[in-house]
Amino acid sequence: MEGPLVVHPPLTEPDVLLAGEPPTAELSSWLDAIAEITRAANRDAPLADLLDLIAGTTARLTGYGFCAVFVADFERQALLIKGSYGLSQEYIATINARTPIPLRAGETGEGPSSRAYRAQRPTTILDIAADPPSRSWETVAAQQGYSSLLSVPLAVGQTLFGLINCYTVEKHEFSAREIILMESMANQAGLAVETAQRLAEGRRRAQEAAERADALRAELDAQRQAEEDHRALLRVVLRGGGLAAIAESLAAMLGCAVVIDDDAGRVLASACRDGRTGCRDPRLIAAYQRARAQVGPQVGRETVAVTPARERRGEPTGLVVPVVLDENLAGHLWALDPAAPFGPPQRQALAREAAVVALALLKERTAQEVEWRLSRDFLDDLFDPRGQSAEALHARARQLGADLSQPHTLLVVRRDPARGGAAVHEEREAYAQRSLLSLVQRTAAGEPGATLTATRSDHVVVLWHDDGSNRDAQDFAEHLHREIQAYAGGWTATISVGPTCHDVQEYDDAYRLTCGVLDLVQQSGRRDRVASLGSIGAFGLLLQVRRPQELQSFAESMLGTVRTYDQRHQTGLGATLRCYMAQRCNVTRTAKELHVHPNTVAYRLRRVEELLGIDVGDPQAMLHLQLALMIETILGD
C-alpha cells in the first residue's frame, strides 16, 4: 500500500477462499440483479438507461452510497460519467464539462480512476482528500459527500470500455470479497453492454438494409414509371403527335413546365405544369428566358441544373437536357419549376425523353423534306406551265394543301449577299440556307394564310392566300422580316411581295416579276427589307414587259457605243453617265461622288454627247438614257 491509493493485484486462490461464498440470500439478490441487467440489454434498452441501471443495481447490492459508470472518450482523452446512482446532475455536469478524469497522469500524479483504467486492475482509495492527484475533485467530492473510492475496470469484449466507480460516505477499506463481487458485477455489466452494442449494431445494420431496400424499391418504381412514361411518349409520336404534344405530355408526367427549343434558342414548343400548351403564355416564355440567362454559356451538350442566384428569389429552377440529332446539337429540353425537386431518376428520365424529342424532330424534318421536295417540284411546274394542264396543277396543289382556285399572292425570300464580296464558307452557306428555310417554314406554319412554302434555288417561295380573316401578304412579309431579324445568325434577308394571281396561268409571270424586284433591290445595294412592285417605281413597269429581248435591244442602241468606247480606251464614260443621272444631273455632286474635278465630268459628258449624237440638256434624250440605264439594272449589261 502506497499512501491511501491502492492498486490491487490479481487475487490469488487463497484470497478467494478467504473471501468465502456470499450468503444464499445475498447470492440470490446478486443473481436477480444480474438477470435484470441482462433482460434490459436483451430488450434493447438505450445504452444510457442500461448504464444507469448498472450503477443503481451495483449501489443497492453493495450498500455503497454512490456509484458511477465512466466511459472513455478518446477524442477528449478523458473518462466521462455516462451512468450514475446517487450523484447529483450538477456534480455529473461539473465532472464531465470542467474536470473530466484524464487518461494520463496529471501535474500532481495519476488519480485512482485513471490508474485503474490504464492498469486494468481494481483500485481503491481510503481518503480522496488525502490523495494529491485527486485534489482537483476534492471540492466536488466534499459537496457530494463521499470519502472512499473503489474503481473497477469495465471491459466490453476484448476492449476496455470504462470503469465502475463506487463511493462511500464514511472512510471505508474495501475487502477482497467486495473487490471480487465488484469485478463480477463489472464482468456481467460488460456482457450486458456488449449485448446492447451488438443489438444496436444489428438494429443499425437492419435499418441501413431497410433504407437500402426502400431506396432500391423507390429506384425500381421510378424506373418502371420512367419506362411507362417513355412508352407513352413514344405512342404520342407514333400517333402523329408533334413537339407540342410531347411538351404537353411531359409537363403532365413530370409535374413541371416544359420548353423545347432549337440550337439557336428559338422556342419550338412549350407546355405549362398542368399540361396546357404554353407557347402563348408570356409567363412561361419569360421564365424560359430567365432560365436561359441563368444557365448562360453552360447550355450545350451536357445536362445542366437551372439554379437561381442566392440573392435572387423567384427565379426558375429545373434541368436543361441537350437534344442531339445525327451527332449534332439540335436543341434543348427545359424542365422548369417542378412541383418537387428533381433527383437522379428524373434526370435519367429526362435524358431518355430527350431522345424521343430528337425522334420527333427527325420525323418532322423528314416530313418537311418530303413536303418541300414535292412542293418544289410542283412550283417548278407551276412557274413553267408548258405541257401542264390547269386541272392537273389544281389537283396537285390541293394535295399539298393549297386551293389555287382562290387568289394567292407570291412572296420570295432570299438571303442578302455578303457585304464587300467577303468569302463565303460552303458549310456555313449551306447552314444559313437551311436556317432561312426553317425560319420561313416555322413562321408560316402558324399562319393560316400560308398555304404552301418551298425552297427553290437560293430562295424560299411562299404562296399566301388572304381571305379577309387573317393578315394580308404585305403584313405577313413584315412579320416574317422581323422574325428573321430576331433569329437569323449573322445574316440578313430581303423579302419581295409579288402580284396576286387569280389563275394558275398567271404564276409564271408573277414569279418572274417578284424575283426581278428582289434582284433589283439587292443589286442596287439595298438589303434587309421588304420590297414590292409598287416600291420600285418605274422599274416595276419595265419588269412587266413580257419580251425582255426588245428592252435589251433598246438599251444596247442607247448605251452600246459608250460601253464599246470604254472597253477600247479604258475610260469611264458609262460610269460617269450613270453617276450623273443618279445625282440628278448635277455636275458638282457627280464630281464629288467620283472624286474628280467638275471640268472632268463636263468633258466626259460632252464625249458621251458626241458618241451618242444627243444633247444631255434635251429632256427626251435624258428620258431615253434613264430608261436604258434602268433596263441595264434589271437585265444586266
Side-chain angles (χ1 to χ4, degrees):
M1 181 172 180
E2 182 181 353
L5 175 65
V6 179
V7 177
H8 295 271
L11 296 177
T12 63
E13 186 175 350
D15 294 327
V16 175
L17 293 175
L18 183 63
E21 293 290 338
T24 302
E26 184 180 0
L27 178 61
S28 177
S29 298
W30 276 79
L31 292 177
D32 287 344
I34 290 171
E36 183 181 357
I37 293 173
T38 302
R39 285 193 298 270
N42 288 332
R43 70 170 178 264
D44 202 15
L47 182 61
D49 294 348
L50 180 62
L51 296 181
D52 282 341
L53 177 62
I54 291 171
T57 301
T58 302
R60 286 193 298 272
L61 288 173
T62 59
Y64 303 146
F66 314 96
C67 187
V69 179
F70 286 81
V71 177
D73 184 338
F74 294 103
E75 289 186 1
R76 296 177 62 183
Q77 287 293 298
L79 291 163
L80 304 178
I81 300 175
K82 295 298 182 180
S84 66
Y85 175 81
L87 300 174
S88 68
Q89 290 300 316
E90 182 181 0
Y91 171 80
I92 295 172
T94 301
I95 292 294
N96 286 344
R98 299 180 184 177
T99 56
I101 298 173
L103 293 177
R104 64 187 185 285
E107 295 179 357
T108 57
E110 189 169 20
S113 297
S114 174
R115 182 167 296 187
Y117 181 84
R118 296 206 309 129
Q120 299 187 38
R121 296 303 309 155
T123 301
T124 59
I125 185 169
L126 181 63
D127 186 0
I128 290 177
D131 180 41
S134 301
R135 294 283 169 78
S136 299
W137 299 277
E138 179 180 356
T139 302
V140 291
Q143 292 174 350
Q144 191 64 37
Y146 61 79
S147 298
S148 299
L149 164 68
L150 168 59
S151 183
V152 181
L154 174 60
V156 175
Q158 301 299 318
T159 304
L160 191 59
F161 180 74
L163 300 169
I164 298 179
N165 283 6
C166 293
Y167 308 89
T168 62
V169 176
E170 303 294 336
K171 294 179 182 179
H172 178 74
E173 290 191 9
F174 296 93
S175 66
R177 178 171 174 274
E178 289 176 297
I179 294 173
I180 290 173
L181 290 175
M182 283 297 300
E183 285 187 309
S184 299
M185 175 58 71
N187 290 336
Q188 295 301 320
L191 292 174
V193 171
E194 182 178 9
T195 300
Q197 287 182 337
R198 288 183 177 178
L199 288 173
E201 177 65 17
R203 186 172 63 254
R204 183 187 66 79
R205 291 181 178 179
Q207 179 65 26
E208 289 180 353
E211 290 175 356
R212 285 196 299 270
D214 290 342
L216 288 174
R217 279 193 295 269
E219 183 178 351
L220 181 59
D221 291 342
Q223 289 178 351
R224 287 174 177 168
Q225 186 62 48
E227 185 65 31
E228 291 178 6
D229 292 345
H230 186 67
R231 287 197 295 267
L233 211 59
L234 282 175
R235 286 195 295 270
V236 170
V237 176
L238 294 176
R239 286 198 301 263
L243 294 176
I246 290 176
E248 293 171 14
S249 298
L250 270 177
M253 291 173 182
L254 299 175
C256 65
V258 171
V259 176
I260 301 172
D261 65 6
D262 61 14
D263 57 337
R266 179 183 173 88
V267 175
L268 305 180
S270 63
C272 299
R273 184 185 294 177
D274 57 4
R276 292 181 296 105
T277 301
C279 282
R280 303 192 182 279
D281 188 329
R283 290 174 299 179
L284 176 55
I285 299 304
Y288 158 74
Q289 292 171 344
R290 291 198 305 273
R292 194 172 182 86
Q294 285 171 219
V295 176
Q298 297 181 50
V299 64
R301 289 180 171 269
E302 301 295 331
T303 298
V304 179
V306 180
T307 54
R310 293 182 179 178
E311 65 274 9
R312 301 187 66 180
R313 296 182 179 179
E315 293 295 319
T317 60
L319 289 173
V320 51
V321 183
V323 177
V324 179
L325 185 59
D326 294 334
E327 299 184 356
N328 295 317
L329 184 65
H332 294 89
L333 172 60
W334 299 76
L336 302 175
D337 293 333
F342 286 143
Q346 287 77 22
R347 293 175 71 100
Q348 296 173 4
L350 279 169
R352 295 183 66 183
E353 309 318 349
V356 179
V357 174
L359 176 63
L361 278 174
L362 178 61
K363 179 183 174 184
E364 282 194 3
R365 287 187 181 182
T366 302
Q368 287 173 350
E369 289 174 1
V370 172
E371 180 181 351
W372 289 338
R373 185 173 65 252
L374 293 174
S375 299
R376 184 176 62 248
D377 294 343
F378 169 71
L379 289 181
D380 288 342
D381 293 336
L382 181 65
F383 297 153
D384 186 11
R386 289 173 295 183
Q388 300 286 331
S389 68
E391 292 77 10
L393 290 174
H394 279 290
R396 290 174 62 188
R398 283 193 295 271
Q399 291 176 345
L400 296 172
D403 181 8
L404 295 189
S405 64
Q406 301 294 325
H408 280 74
T409 302
L410 206 62
L411 291 87
V412 177
V413 189
R414 183 195 294 154
R415 288 183 302 109
D416 295 316
R419 292 186 181 275
V424 179
H425 193 279
E426 184 176 347
E427 291 185 1
R428 191 177 304 163
E429 180 75 6
Y431 176 79
Q433 185 65 19
R434 288 195 302 270
S435 298
L436 172 65
L437 178 60
S438 179
L439 266 170
V440 176
Q441 196 277 335
R442 287 173 182 164
T443 306
E447 301 284 347
T451 59
L452 192 146
T453 303
T455 181
R456 198 163 191 263
S457 184
D458 62 346
H459 51 264
V460 179
V461 177
V462 179
L463 294 185
W464 181 268
H465 171 54
D466 179 14
D467 61 0
S469 63
N470 51 59
R471 66 175 87 206
D472 60 25
Q474 185 71 30
D475 189 17
F476 169 71
E478 297 289 350
H479 170 65
L480 176 59
H481 182 237
R482 289 191 294 271
E483 290 292 297
I484 292 174
Q485 287 180 321
Y487 294 105
W491 49 269
T492 60
T494 296
I495 305 172
S496 175
V497 181
T500 299
C501 302
H502 298 79
D503 187 85
V504 292
Q505 302 301 325
E506 298 176 2
Y507 283 93
D508 57 340
D509 283 341
Y511 177 68
R512 179 177 57 81
L513 289 172
T514 309
C515 290
V517 171
L518 192 59
D519 292 338
L520 186 64
V521 170
Q522 291 185 325
Q523 289 173 12
S524 65
R526 293 177 292 176
R527 56 195 294 130
D528 193 17
R529 64 182 60 227
V530 176
S532 62
L533 278 172
S535 66
I536 60 173
F539 286 94
L541 296 176
L542 295 178
L543 287 171
Q544 297 183 60
V545 175
R546 296 186 59 85
R547 297 181 62 183
Q549 295 84 357
E550 296 180 0
L551 294 176
Q552 286 177 324
S553 298
F554 172 76
E556 181 64 22
S557 67
M558 289 296 300
L559 301 175
T561 304
V562 174
R563 187 163 48 250
T564 302
Y565 184 88
D566 282 340
Q567 292 172 352
R568 288 178 179 177
H569 299 87
Q570 300 297 311
T571 56
L573 300 182
T576 301
L577 177 61
R578 186 179 293 275
C579 184
Y580 177 71
M581 301 294 288
Q583 296 301 324
R584 299 182 181 180
C585 302
N586 186 295
V587 173
T588 302
R589 287 202 299 265
T590 303
K592 186 176 181 181
E593 184 71 19
L594 295 175
H595 305 289
V596 297
H597 195 276
N599 291 340
T600 302
V601 174
Y603 167 77
R604 292 176 182 177
L605 291 175
R606 287 195 299 272
R607 191 74 186 109
V608 168
E609 288 177 325
E610 292 172 0
L611 291 171
L612 299 181
I614 64 171
D615 179 4
V616 294
D618 182 1
Q620 185 174 2
M622 295 303 292
L623 174 60
H624 290 171
L625 281 176
Q626 183 67 47
L627 287 173
L629 292 172
M630 291 172 66
I631 291 168
E632 278 195 351
T633 300
I634 295 172
L635 303 178
D637 295 342

